[in-house]
């Protein structure tokens, strides 16, 4: 799923159903109708072209527009009758951040049913999923003996041992050891880079006690 995959005509219909005023909607349509782009190639700039899909990059309203366009998936899953996942007092089906989506389920059967709901939602909205970046992580202390297959619209989704979401690597064994190691390595590299810069700049070393 990406910011550049939503079809404008469908986005306007969704916003209208969400209660956006006709006056504001006309303003958005006018803004998008005037937006155009060019592509820089080795031979120079291409001719100007109009955008038919996606929210405008760098435009302040774009994240809100995309959120309004995509958050219907949470309501659809809620109405599906499929059991939600409970953590503490919270119950949920999905994690949504910008154009990153995580579907959570208690068992393989519920997960496949939720994937089916999501796939239908994407089709209805005209959204596209990058199946090569779509993965399944089965959280368990031990690997399951049985072979499991998950599919998004007849395309098999790869099962992996770990996946990085919003910069945090989550491992199937329910620990964050790998994430801790990666963060420690990044922090060490950043500190060494700062030390290198200060040495080259002639900054005197810091005195610590």
């Amino acid at each position: 799923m990406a910011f550049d995959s939503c079809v404008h005509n469908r986005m306007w219909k969704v916003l209208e159903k969400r209660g956006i005023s006709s006056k504001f909607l006309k303003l958005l349509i006018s803004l998008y109708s005037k937006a155009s782009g060019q592509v820089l190639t080795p031979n120079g700039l291409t001719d100007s072209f109009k955008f038919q899909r996606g929210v405008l990059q760098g435009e302040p309203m774009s994240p809100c527009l995309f959120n309004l366009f995509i958050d219907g998936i949470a309501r659809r899953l809620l109405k599906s009758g499929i059991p939600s996942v409970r953590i503490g007092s919270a119950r949920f089906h999905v994690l949504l951040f910008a154009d990153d989506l995580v579907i959570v389920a208690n068992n393989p059967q519920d997960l496949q049913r939720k994937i089916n709901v999501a796939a239908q939602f994407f089709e209805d909205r005209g959204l596209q999923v990058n199946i090569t970046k779509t993965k399944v992580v089965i959280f368990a202390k031990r690997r399951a003996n049985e072979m499991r297959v998950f599919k998004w619209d007849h395309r098999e989704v790869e099962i992996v041992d770990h996946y990085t979401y919003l910069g945090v690597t989550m491992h199937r064994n329910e620990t964050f050891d790998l994430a801790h190691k990666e963060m420690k390595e990044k922090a060490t590299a950043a500190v060494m880079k700062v030390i290198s810069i200060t040495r080259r700049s002639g900054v005197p070393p810091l005195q610590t006690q």
Side-chain angles (χ1 to χ4, degrees), residues 95-102 163-170 183 186:
L95 302 176
L96 285 166
F97 184 85
D99 59 347
D100 288 325
L101 167 69
V102 174
Y163 193 80
T164 301
Y165 178 65
L166 302 183
V168 178
T169 300
M170 294 172 283
M183 290 180 182
K186 289 179 181 178

Side-chain angles (χ1 to χ4, degrees), residues 1-24:
M1 179 176 63
F3 288 121
D4 60 356
S5 66
C6 53
V7 181
H8 291 168
N9 289 338
R10 297 190 186 188
M11 184 164 65
W12 308 142
K13 291 179 181 179
V14 170
L15 293 178
E16 185 179 16
K17 289 182 179 179
R18 293 300 305 273
I20 301 298
S21 69
S22 59
K23 187 175 182 179
F24 188 67

Side-chain angles (χ1 to χ4, degrees), residues 124-136:
D124 295 344
R125 287 287 198 269
L127 292 167
Q128 298 174 354
V129 65
N130 188 337
I131 199 68
T132 61
K133 292 184 178 180
T134 303
K135 311 295 181 183
V136 170

Side-chain angles (χ1 to χ4, degrees), residues 167-205:
V168 178
T169 300
M170 294 172 283
H171 198 276
R172 66 169 184 81
N173 62 10
E174 303 177 7
T175 68
F176 287 90
D177 293 343
L178 185 56
H180 177 266
K181 178 183 177 182
E182 291 176 348
M183 290 180 182
K184 184 178 179 180
E185 290 174 349
K186 289 179 181 178
T188 301
V191 169
M192 295 306 295
K193 188 173 183 178
V194 171
I195 291 175
S196 176
I197 292 173
T198 56
R199 285 176 177 173
R200 291 200 307 269
S201 303
V203 177

Side-chain angles (χ1 to χ4, degrees), residues 25-113:
L25 195 55
K26 288 179 181 178
L27 179 64
L28 287 173
I29 294 173
S30 176
L31 173 66
Y32 273 70
S33 67
K34 296 175 182 177
S36 61
Q38 292 176 290
V39 177
L40 180 61
T41 71
N43 298 320
L45 290 172
T46 64
D47 294 335
S48 178
F49 56 87
K50 295 291 185 180
F51 296 117
Q52 300 297 325
R53 305 175 70 98
V55 293
L56 300 179
Q57 301 298 304
E59 206 284 318
M61 288 187 296
S62 292
C64 291
L65 293 177
F66 188 81
N67 287 342
L68 289 170
F69 186 67
I70 192 63
D71 74 349
I73 190 172
R75 295 194 302 276
R76 189 171 295 192
L77 283 167
L78 185 63
K79 295 178 181 179
S80 69
I82 306 171
S84 58
V85 170
R86 180 174 181 176
I87 298 181
S89 60
R91 289 184 175 274
F92 55 94
H93 294 279
V94 292
L95 302 176
L96 285 166
F97 184 85
D99 59 347
D100 288 325
L101 167 69
V102 174
I103 300 174
V104 294
N106 294 307
N107 56 63
Q109 295 75 25
D110 286 351
L111 178 57
Q112 183 60 65
R113 291 171 64 196

